[in-house]
Every structure is written in C-alpha cells, then in structure tokens.
Amino acid sequence: MRKRAVYFILLFNAFIFVMMTFSGVFSTRDPVLQMLLLLRYGAQYGPRVDAGDWFRLITSLFVHGGILHILFNSYALYYFGLIVEDIYGTEKFLVGYFFTGIVGNLATHVFYHDTISVGASGAIFGLIGILFAAGFRKDTPFFMKPVTGVSLLPIILINVVYGFLPGTNINNAAHLGGFLSGMLLGYTMRPFSWKRRTLWRVLAIAVVLLVVLSYVFLIRQIPEIDEAIRRFKAG
C-alpha cells in the first residue's frame, strides 16, 4: 500500500497540467484571459476565496504555472514524498501533505490576497518540515540522519532566501506556512510507528473526501467561468 499516494498525486498533477496546456493557459498572452483560465482549473485567488470559493485552498495544490514549475515540484514531491511515506506510512503522508498545503495556502490568502496562486510548494515544504523536525526527536533512528534535521538546512535556507529576492515571483508565504506546520507534525508524529493507525486512516479518508468535494464544487463552477471567458473573447 505504500508509495501509491505519491504516485497518484504526481499523475493527477500531470493530468491537470495537460488539460491546462490544451486549453491554452500557457499560450495566451492576455493576463485577464490567463487568470480566468487558471481559475477554471482551481487556482487560488483571495477575493474568490472570500466570496465562498474555499475549495480553491485545496484545488490550487494541483495547479502549476508552467513546465519548469511542475517539473521542479514533481521532482521534489517524488523525492521527499517517498521518504515521508516510507517513514510514516500512507495515511500520515496524506494528512501531512494536505494539511501543510492548506496551511501554506491560508498564509498565501493573508499575505498575497490579491494575487493568483498555484502550486504545491507549501505542501512540499510541509514534507521538508516534517523531516526537519524528525531529526530532533530522540526516537528517530540514526540511519535517518542524512534525510532529517540539520542535513536539510542548506535546501531550506537556499529556497527561503531565493524566494525573497526581487523578481523571483516565489510564494514564500506558502513555503513558510507549509514548513512551520510540517515541523509541528514532525515533532508530534513518531517515525516507523503504526499505533493509532485506525485514527490516521480515518483522517486520511477524510482528507481524500475533502479533495473530492473540492473538485465537485469547482466543476459546478466551470460553466460560470466558461461563460465569462466567452464574453471576454467576444469583447
């Protein structure tokens, strides 16, 4: 059962990206049309969330802004995701991934309220935060040291500092929100422990159902957005 969740998320990300590519999200040069198309596929936008589109805090985790964006995130998710899923199991991985991703998007909602936001960087930094905190637990096995604790500091510092540089267009609010919430989980979750697995399984099922529900709400909204796109193209 392990590792299937990581692969499923990677495949779903790729599926959404292909759909976006064929619909012209990345080929259009009009910023308004591109914004509408991004919203169609679940991008986060503060005013829309305020208006009741809470589900965008979740669907935006599967949306990416270009080929380099999805390639970088896919590699990071593949690398860190498999490590976390191996150490903690599928249930804890799913809960950790979506919990930290949502926290990161909530931070985005506060600090980048009027900006379109896409990507799973918050969730990926959440995975890094889990591993970082695990390195400081006394019950963390010695063989995990190369992928936990201070060994991750160069990756963390480089990405955070780079995100603050002018013109990088990187959402550091999502990064820091995901990382800090991931650290919280890393301090509370015991590596290689299968106690209370029923509870974690229930939480994981609840998270998956929340993702499905979010897409139900998004799909119901697509005709409205398509009409707005049609009117925009008509002038």
Side-chain angles (χ1 to χ4, degrees):
M1 291 298 293
R2 293 186 184 182
K3 301 184 180 179
R4 291 185 181 179
V6 171
Y7 295 139
F8 180 81
I9 293 172
L10 287 169
L11 286 173
F12 193 67
N13 286 345
F15 170 74
I16 296 295
F17 185 80
V18 170
M19 295 285 288
M20 292 170 65
T21 301
F22 281 109
S23 67
V25 175
F26 308 115
S27 60
T28 182
R29 293 294 180 264
D30 191 293
V32 176
L33 178 57
Q34 187 175 57
M35 182 184 75
L36 289 171
L37 288 170
L38 286 170
L39 289 174
R40 186 182 192 274
Y41 286 97
Q44 179 180 343
Y45 183 48
R48 297 287 302 207
V49 175
D50 290 340
D53 288 6
W54 58 267
F55 53 87
R56 294 186 179 278
L57 297 171
I58 300 168
T59 56
S60 60
L61 296 173
F62 301 97
V63 183
H64 291 83
I67 186 65
L68 292 179
H69 191 198
I70 192 172
L71 286 177
F72 179 82
N73 275 5
S74 295
Y75 173 77
L77 173 57
Y78 178 81
Y79 181 77
F80 292 107
L82 291 184
I83 294 174
V84 171
E85 195 164 2
D86 259 344
I87 292 172
Y88 295 99
T90 297
E91 295 87 356
K92 292 179 182 177
F93 163 76
L94 284 171
V95 174
Y97 183 82
F98 287 106
F99 171 72
T100 58
I102 292 170
V103 171
N105 282 346
L106 287 173
T108 299
H109 184 69
V110 173
F111 293 100
Y112 298 101
H113 183 268
D114 296 324
T115 303
I116 290 284
S117 177
V118 298
S121 298
I124 292 169
F125 263 78
L127 300 178
I128 295 174
I130 290 173
L131 294 174
F132 180 73
F136 299 96
R137 290 181 58 106
K138 294 181 179 179
D139 56 357
T140 298
F142 73 93
F143 57 82
M144 284 177 53
K145 296 299 181 182
V147 292
T148 60
V150 294
S151 64
L152 296 174
L153 270 180
I155 296 174
I156 297 166
L157 293 176
I158 289 173
N159 279 276
V160 171
V161 171
Y162 182 71
F164 280 115
L165 295 178
T168 55
N169 199 32
I170 291 176
N171 185 353
N172 253 354
H175 289 182
L176 293 174
F179 178 73
L180 293 175
S181 57
M183 283 187 62
L184 176 63
L185 289 178
Y187 278 123
T188 56
M189 294 192 308
R190 184 178 179 181
F192 300 107
S193 174
W194 316 120
K195 294 181 179 179
R196 300 180 181 176
R197 191 165 190 177
T198 300
L199 173 61
W200 285 106
R201 185 164 295 173
V202 169
L203 291 174
I205 292 172
V207 165
V208 172
L209 290 177
L210 183 61
V211 173
V212 173
L213 181 63
S214 298
Y215 271 94
V216 169
F217 277 98
L218 177 63
I219 291 170
R220 289 176 60 183
Q221 199 178 80
I222 286 178
E224 173 191 337
I225 299 177
D226 284 346
E227 178 62 20
I229 292 173
R230 187 190 65 77
R231 291 180 179 178
F232 178 81
K233 289 180 176 181

